[in-house]
Amino acid sequence: MNQSVPSVWSLAFSIGWVVIVIVLSIVFRQTRGKPTFPKIPADAIYVEKWASGRWANKCLLVAVTNEALWVVPRFPFNLMFLPEIFGLEHTIPIRSIRSVSQLRAFGVGNVAVYHGEADLRLKVRNPQAFVNAFPPSIVRAPV
């Protein structure tokens, strides 16, 4: 009987710790104006609901508007500070994007967005539609 008491407390402590981190991450997101349940922008030209990227497999919401490229992890992948730790969340103004291109990678829908801070590579279902959502002046030939 004595051996089961520590394991119950360990389990309760572990679950409590996870709940606290989740709540803190939600509060953090809310105070910074980041959505817990991301929505597709009303003026989206292109939308991919389950895109992949660095450290993220089919959990990113990608939207292109006339103003910006939005890359946001979907719930619950935006909890526990995962977007902040792995750099999964991006809002890139179209004017700061140097170029967009489709990558040739064995038939996989890879695209690259080159902008001021760093390069962003995504895997989308329809790479041609993604590239076509950007102004022609920044679209480059497939690499």
Side-chain angles (χ1 to χ4, degrees), residues 40-57:
I40 298 168
D43 58 343
I45 301 166
Y46 174 86
V47 174
E48 173 72 40
K49 294 181 181 178
W50 300 102
S52 299
R54 185 175 171 231
W55 304 104
N57 187 23

Side-chain angles (χ1 to χ4, degrees), residues 27-82:
V27 169
F28 177 83
R29 293 187 67 74
Q30 295 299 315
T31 59
R32 296 205 169 33
K34 297 179 179 184
T36 303
F37 297 96
K39 299 199 182 342
I40 298 168
D43 58 343
I45 301 166
Y46 174 86
V47 174
E48 173 72 40
K49 294 181 181 178
W50 300 102
S52 299
R54 185 175 171 231
W55 304 104
N57 187 23
K58 297 180 183 174
C59 66
L60 299 175
L61 172 63
V62 175
V64 179
T65 67
N66 286 326
E67 301 298 319
L69 166 64
W70 306 85
V71 179
V72 183
R74 298 185 61 93
F75 181 85
F77 304 103
N78 59 2
L79 299 178
M80 297 183 68
F81 301 100
L82 293 176

